[in-house]
Amino acid sequence: MFGVDTFDAAALGAQWRSQPAFPHVCLDGVFDPRALDGVMAVLDDEPVEHHQSDIFAFDATAPEPTTAAFGAIRDAFADAFAPLLSRVTARPVARVDMRAFAYRPGHYLLPHTDHQGTLGRVLAYALYLPSPEPPTGGELELYQCAPQSGGLGRPVHSTRFVPQPNRMVVFAVSDTSLHEVHEVRAGLRLSLAGWFYA
Amino acid sequence: MIFTPRLAVQVEAAIAPQLAAFARGALALDRFQPYPNIDRGRYAFVDEPELPALTDALLALACARTELPLHVVSTRAVRLGPGDYLLSHHDVRDDVPSVELIADLSERAVAHAAVHYREDGRPFFIVRSSPLSVAMTARSPATAANHTYLSKRYADAAVLRLMLRLR
C-alpha cells in the first residue's frame, strides 16, 4: 500500500535536522499509486461531521476509524512509517492515530502547536489525498517565531507546503511547533492527519 | 442574583452616524499596531484612543442600561481584515466582574464577523456584525471572548470595533 522503500532515511534525517523552524520533513509519493483508488473508496464510507471552534472549521471523520477497512489503512501506515520515522527523527514512535479531513471553501485551522503535555504526541503528520476539485489555498505553514511576552512571538521565518496529492509532511510536536492550515478559498482539500506516539 | 438576567444585549442603531464617522476618521489618523503573536490573534489595535465624545456617549448608555455608576477602566480600538481573528485564550480576563462594551464602528456589515462570549467554555452570547450597534456584556472572571476569523473570500471585509471595559 505504501512506497516506504523508496525513501532514504539518511537523507530524510539530514533534512529533518537542517530546518530553520522546528524539525520537519516532506515526503512525496507516500502511497503506492495503484492503492490510491482503493483508499479513497474506503474513506468514502467513513461518516463525516463538521467541526468548528474559534481556532478551526473543517469536516472530519471520527477520532477512531469507524470501518475495519479504514482501521487497516491506519495500521498499515503505522507499520510502514513508524520504523522509518523513528530512524529519521531519532524519536522512537510506534502507535499512530488517523482521521480524514475535508477542508471546503471557508475552512481553516489557525496557528497552534498541537502540544498538550499529557497526550504524548511525538510527531504530527498530514498526508494529502487526490481531490476531485483541487483546492485554492489550504497550504500548511510552519513558523519559526521570535520569542515575545504574552505568546509564542512574531514569525521570523516560515515554510509553506502546498497540499499536493500523495505528499506527507511530518514535524516534531513541541510547545514551539507553531503551524496553521490556510483558508481554503475554493475547491476541496482532502487529507489524512494525526500523530505518532511512542 | 439567581433571578437577575445576565446583561448580554446588542442594541441596534445606538451610535449616531456622524459620531461613528468622526471616530473612524480620528482612528484612521492613529497608528494601529499589528498584534505580533499569531498563536493568539491577527489584528491591529490602538490602546486608549482619543474619542471623548463617543466614549462619554457609550458610558452614559451603559450606566442607563445597568443603573450602575460605572467608569471606564480601559479602551481599545480593534481593526480586523481578511484573515484576521482574536482567539479566546488571548482575551484579557478580569479578576472582578466588569461590563464590556463593543461599539461597531465598521462602515459595512461583514458576513460571519462576530464576537463570541463563553462562560467556563459554554457559549452564552454572540455579538453579530452590525454597524452602529453597541453590545453590552456582563463579564465574570470565567468569561472569555473571541473575535471570529474573517474569511479571505471577502476581500473588502473591514471590521472596526471600539472595546470598553467598565466597572
Side-chain angles (χ1 to χ4, degrees), chain B residues 6 116-125 142-144:
Chain B
R6 180 189 196 134
H116 290 197
Y117 282 92
R118 292 177 178 80
E119 185 81 4
D120 286 324
R122 291 185 300 275
F124 71 89
F125 185 37
T143 303

Side-chain angles (χ1 to χ4, degrees), chain B residues 22-93:
Chain B
F22 179 84
R24 282 195 299 273
L27 287 169
L29 298 175
D30 266 321
R31 278 200 201 162
F32 276 84
Q33 300 177 58
Y35 181 73
N37 297 315
I38 63 170
D39 62 310
R40 293 171 181 271
R42 271 196 188 105
Y43 65 98
F45 69 96
V46 174
D47 278 331
E48 311 301 331
E50 286 286 328
L51 299 170
L54 178 57
T55 302
D56 288 348
L58 294 172
L59 179 61
L61 180 66
C63 291
R65 184 76 187 209
T66 61
E67 297 181 349
L68 294 171
L70 299 169
H71 65 278
V72 177
V73 175
S74 65
T75 61
R76 172 176 270 203
V78 169
R79 187 178 70 196
L80 296 97
D84 288 351
Y85 55 90
L86 278 85
L87 300 180
S88 57
H89 61 269
H90 176 41
D91 189 31
V92 175
R93 303 191 190 201

Side-chain angles (χ1 to χ4, degrees), chain A residues 53-55 105-106 108 110-111 143 148-155 178 180 182-185, chain B residues 35-40 42 83 85-90 118 146-153:
Chain A
S53 77
D54 62 336
I55 290 183
Y108 55 86
L110 296 177
Y143 295 101
Q148 228 163 24
S149 64
L152 284 173
R154 61 179 179 80
L178 188 67
E180 74 173 302
H182 287 280
E183 179 184 353
V184 169
R185 298 188 300 283
Chain B
Y35 181 73
N37 297 315
I38 63 170
D39 62 310
R40 293 171 181 271
R42 271 196 188 105
Y85 55 90
L86 278 85
L87 300 180
S88 57
H89 61 269
H90 176 41
R118 292 177 178 80
N146 70 280
H147 298 230
T148 59
Y149 173 81
L150 294 196
S151 174
K152 293 177 184 175
R153 294 174 298 163

Side-chain angles (χ1 to χ4, degrees), chain B residues 79-157:
Chain B
R79 187 178 70 196
L80 296 97
D84 288 351
Y85 55 90
L86 278 85
L87 300 180
S88 57
H89 61 269
H90 176 41
D91 189 31
V92 175
R93 303 191 190 201
D94 293 324
D95 293 335
V96 295
S98 61
V99 174
E100 182 161 72
L101 261 69
I102 301 177
D104 191 338
L105 302 178
S106 313
E107 287 196 70
R108 284 176 295 277
V110 175
H112 309 296
V115 180
H116 290 197
Y117 282 92
R118 292 177 178 80
E119 185 81 4
D120 286 324
R122 291 185 300 275
F124 71 89
F125 185 37
I126 296 176
V127 179
R128 304 205 182 274
S129 172
S130 179
L132 306 182
S133 73
V134 174
M136 289 176 272
T137 312
R139 296 186 58 120
S140 79
T143 303
N146 70 280
H147 298 230
T148 59
Y149 173 81
L150 294 196
S151 174
K152 293 177 184 175
R153 294 174 298 163
Y154 310 122
D156 297 332

